[in-house]
Amino acid sequence: FFFRVVSNTARAAAAGMSGSVSVLVGNARREIVRVTPSTLLHAVLDEVCQRRRLDPAVHALKPERGGALVQLSSSFRLSGLANNCKLELVAAPRAGAVEGACRVGVQLEDGARLVREFSVNAPLVEVLAWAGGEWGRPLARSITYAGTAPIEGDEA
């Protein structure tokens, strides 16, 4: 006879059974959220925020004992979190707070390529103005969209 030892958690995962996640939401209050292996962690954040009437766009999840923020786009199975884990609801980092530089390449109609480093917060108009100045022809015209019809050039 051949015996195979299978743990209860492996049986539960194979059967698609659910687990839970405990989220600390402040003031020593916790929210218990039921999860399945395919539950996205963004859904956990949405449910906790809905229960507490909070905005999920300005909150994030992180392990209670410290560590990096949880990747909300991954499923519970692929997140590396254990069943009955404890997470903490924290303020999400601001999207505009990113600092640094990036390299931008613009390929022109004649096949030439212009490459330069810009701040990550630089607007596209600044990049196009630089590329147009290097090429000797304007790349960016004033374009404003009113409804669905574009208004170009001096009319904008």
Side-chain angles (χ1 to χ4, degrees), residues 20-33 47-49 51-52 61-65 84-89:
S20 63
V21 174
S22 175
V23 181
L24 177 67
V25 292
N27 296 332
R29 304 232 180 216
R30 292 193 181 276
E31 289 290 338
I32 308 296
V33 179
E47 186 169 340
V48 169
C49 288
R51 288 181 189 177
R52 293 290 168 174
L61 297 172
K62 76 172 198 170
E64 189 178 42
R65 302 218 175 203
N84 297 322
C85 69
K86 295 178 181 173
L87 299 174
E88 184 177 356
L89 187 69

Side-chain angles (χ1 to χ4, degrees), residues 86-102:
K86 295 178 181 173
L87 299 174
E88 184 177 356
L89 187 69
V90 295
R94 294 184 316 131
V98 177
E99 296 294 327
C102 64

Side-chain angles (χ1 to χ4, degrees), residues 3-81:
F3 291 101
R4 194 171 110 196
V5 177
V6 179
S7 68
N8 287 338
T9 55
R11 274 192 211 117
M17 296 181 73
S18 63
S20 63
V21 174
S22 175
V23 181
L24 177 67
V25 292
N27 296 332
R29 304 232 180 216
R30 292 193 181 276
E31 289 290 338
I32 308 296
V33 179
R34 305 287 296 170
V35 294
T36 62
S38 62
T39 301
L40 294 177
L41 293 176
H42 197 280
V44 173
L45 175 66
D46 287 342
E47 186 169 340
V48 169
C49 288
Q50 181 182 10
R51 288 181 189 177
R52 293 290 168 174
R53 296 186 182 122
L54 299 170
D55 183 11
V58 296
H59 290 88
L61 297 172
K62 76 172 198 170
E64 189 178 42
R65 302 218 175 203
L69 294 176
V70 173
Q71 184 69 29
L72 296 176
S73 62
S74 65
S75 67
F76 183 71
R77 176 186 297 137
L78 301 176
S79 67
L81 298 171

